[in-house]
Amino acid sequence: MLVSAKDMLNKAREGKYAVGQFNINNLEWTKAILLTAQKLGSPVILGVSEGAAKYMCGFKTVTEMVKAMDESLGITVPVALHLDHGTYDGCYKCIKAGFTSIMFDGSHFPIEENVAKTTELVHVAHQLGLSIEAEVGAIGGEEDGVVGKGECADPQECKQIADLGVDFLAAGIGNIHGVYPENWEGLSFDTLSDINQTVGDMPLVLHGGTGIPDEQIKKAISLGVAKINVNTECQLVFAEATRGYIEAGKDQQGKGFDPRKLLAPGFDAICAKVEEKMNLFGSVGKA
Ligand code: 13P
């Protein structure tokens, strides 16, 4: 059954481990992540960006696919279906489509507007039993590669947003989406410590999980991070494994490629990557 992410993240924060959010882009990714979570007895969050939802024919299609797959695969570990970096309109669409969790990314609005919109969405989400994540201090993207540093959130602004009743909070601590540039300075643990002390027990979220060294991941978990988002790393292993299959010219026995076999190595690669991350994050056996 699909559940809100609130309880799983409160437990993670208390137990000093993190639940992985793995973004889904198609049926194979979804199946790989669900089966791996079940095999390892780990709670899991399926992240869906608005772009990925558009690709998969909309939020309703995604919800129906995930619900049906969860049931037909006999998944018993807690699974949250979560909107990643939602716009204001995207949040409402997901609420209507049956998602169990949303992220409202108001980090690009002035703080007053972020506060007003977050307040409204917290109210609506909680009335319907969904969990909600908010963001303070934008998380850098690829264009930040030359800067070598992601933005750091202001702890007071974090407190202001946390106090609105969000269930978990993403705060920029020098993290960047995508592959980290060579000159990246690493996570700012001073900022993370300050935020952790300022917001109390709130589970914190680390975006840009791809390529952060294991020791930094563990230290971040010790300082209140209870949810870690991974996407690019799965994309890289999926592309690599699938390309290998095509380049090797396998399965051409006069019939061309069987698409199910074509994507099978990518599926296996996602399973292995998710298993590696769940072990690193400490969520194995915590379902
Ligand atoms: P990466 O693509 O860097 O792993 O980040 C994923 C993410 O933070 C999604 O919100």
Side-chain angles (χ1 to χ4, degrees):
M1 209 179 76
L2 304 187
V3 296
S4 126
K6 184 183 166 80
D7 284 353
M8 67 169 87
L9 293 183
N10 282 339
K11 274 192 208 156
R13 155 109 214 189
E14 214 179 298
K16 293 216 179 291
Y17 60 91
V19 176
Q21 174 192 303
F22 301 95
N23 285 48
I24 58 171
N25 290 282
N26 60 19
L27 179 144
E28 285 76 13
W29 286 47
T30 312
K31 185 175 163 189
I33 297 162
L34 287 177
L35 285 175
T36 306
Q38 182 68 20
K39 177 181 131 187
L40 300 179
S42 170
V44 73
I45 298 169
L46 302 178
V48 182
S49 68
E50 295 196 6
K54 199 169 163 196
Y55 171 76
M56 292 186 275
C57 306
F59 296 115
K60 184 82 183 144
T61 309
V62 175
T63 312
E64 296 303 323
M65 175 182 78
V66 171
K67 270 191 187 160
M69 209 186 276
D70 189 69
E71 197 182 306
S72 63
L73 294 174
I75 304 296
T76 54
V77 296
V79 176
L81 180 60
H82 179 74
L83 171 64
D84 191 28
H85 290 284
T87 57
Y88 178 78
D89 290 344
C91 284
Y92 276 105
K93 284 184 188 157
C94 284
I95 291 169
K96 201 166 155 224
F99 272 47
T100 56
S101 189
I102 51 173
M103 172 187 189
F104 172 56
D105 182 357
S107 61
H108 49 283
F109 288 119
I111 186 75
E112 300 74 28
E113 197 168 353
N114 193 358
V115 166
K117 289 192 158 64
T118 304
T119 306
E120 176 190 314
L121 284 163
V122 164
H123 181 70
V124 177
H126 285 173
Q127 262 193 336
L128 296 166
L130 282 78
S131 49
I132 176 165
E133 171 180 345
E135 177 171 328
V136 183
I139 287 144
E142 273 157 306
E143 71 277 11
D144 290 339
V146 281
V147 180
K149 198 175 176 17
E151 192 178 316
C152 282
D154 170 17
Q156 285 313 319
E157 286 190 5
C158 289
K159 170 132 182 71
Q160 205 180 342
I161 297 286
D163 286 349
L164 302 177
V166 298
D167 299 294
F168 31 101
L169 186 73
I173 54 165
N175 41 334
I176 298 171
H177 288 125
V179 175
Y180 285 85
E182 296 230 334
N183 63 344
W184 181 53
E185 293 175 16
L187 297 176
S188 168
F189 290 109
D190 289 344
T191 309
L192 179 56
S193 278
D194 285 352
I195 294 170
N196 190 30
Q197 276 169 20
T198 318
V199 302
D201 288 340
M202 165 96 25
L204 300 173
V205 183
L206 183 61
H207 281 247
T210 292
I212 298 176
D214 290 2
E215 318 77 64
Q216 293 194 35
I217 292 278
K218 287 182 182 158
K219 190 163 177 188
I221 293 172
S222 76
L223 291 168
V225 165
K227 171 175 179 279
I228 302 178
N229 295 5
V230 179
N231 180 36
T232 303
E233 241 176 294
C234 291
Q235 291 185 357
L236 294 172
V237 295
F238 185 78
E240 186 61 34
T242 309
R243 186 176 60 215
Y245 189 86
I246 298 174
E247 279 172 2
K250 289 184 185 153
D251 191 34
Q252 290 201 61
Q253 332 251 308
K255 293 195 296 181
F257 288 97
D258 176 341
R260 287 167 282 179
K261 286 190 192 158
L262 171 66
L263 294 181
F267 171 86
D268 292 342
I270 299 271
C271 290
K273 181 54 72 183
V274 170
E275 180 160 352
E276 175 196 317
K277 294 297 169 188
M278 286 179 167
N279 275 304
L280 174 64
F281 300 165
S283 66
V284 173
K286 299 293 200 297

